Amino acid sequence: MKKLLRHTLTVALVLLTAVGLSSCEDEHDLWMRDNIVGTWQIYDVRSYDYDVPYYPGDFMEFFYDGTYRGYGRNGFDERGDWDVTDNIISFDFNRDYRTDMAARVDAIGYDYMYLDVTDYYNHSHYYLRLRRY
């Protein structure tokens, strides 16, 4: 009887821990979404690749409904969808439900965000530093 009770309590503890951890991740993703939403201006671009579509002075707008707009120099204008999970912002520019660009949020505060970007669309990798506009 003691063995059954101990086993039941162990299983219950494991289940509660799993539920608790998954809800923390969901809360973190919601916190990230709330802090990413808004207009950001790129002020620094670092890359060893030549196929970087962004320049200092360009803007990135993240809307709460999951849509995205990038715009800036010489008529640069792109649109798509975005989502964030586990500190990775996924961009889908052509709505084919595939990630065209993944940006790991290395740091974020009220007025700054640093992104480590893997751009599958342009086959490049670069770092963006942004400030809230």
Side-chain angles (χ1 to χ4, degrees):
M1 183 70 172
K2 270 186 169 179
K3 195 173 186 179
L4 179 62
L5 181 59
R6 191 174 348 168
H7 180 68
T8 304
L9 289 174
T10 302
V11 170
L13 182 61
V14 168
L15 288 173
L16 287 173
T17 302
V19 169
L21 289 176
S22 67
S23 67
C24 289
E25 290 174 19
D26 293 342
E27 287 176 22
H28 178 73
D29 291 345
L30 289 173
W31 180 88
M32 286 292 288
R33 175 175 289 279
D34 287 345
N35 285 284
I36 291 169
V37 168
T39 302
W40 298 85
Q41 184 176 32
I42 299 169
Y43 71 89
D44 188 30
V45 178
R46 295 180 187 216
S47 175
Y48 297 107
D49 296 324
Y50 294 104
D51 292 330
V52 178
Y54 305 102
Y55 291 91
D58 287 351
F59 292 92
M60 299 177 100
E61 282 186 314
F62 296 88
F63 300 97
Y64 200 81
D65 67 357
T67 57
Y68 162 81
R69 180 176 180 221
Y71 59 93
R73 44 85 194 107
N74 299 327
F76 170 68
D77 193 359
E78 68 181 0
R79 295 169 191 271
D81 297 319
W82 74 281
D83 196 11
V84 63
T85 304
D86 296 332
N87 288 10
I88 304 290
I89 305 171
S90 300
F91 296 83
D92 179 6
F93 296 118
N94 53 8
R95 297 202 164 133
D96 64 354
Y97 302 102
R98 291 165 144 178
T99 301
D100 296 313
M101 186 168 82
R104 186 181 74 230
V105 180
D106 280 347
I108 188 168
Y110 173 74
D111 59 349
Y112 68 91
M113 181 166 52
Y114 302 156
L115 301 178
D116 180 352
V117 180
T118 301
D119 189 333
Y120 303 111
Y121 190 78
N122 291 300
H123 307 289
S124 57
H125 181 247
Y126 45 89
Y127 301 91
L128 301 176
R129 290 183 180 210
L130 304 98
R131 64 179 141 241
R132 193 173 295 278
Y133 189 75

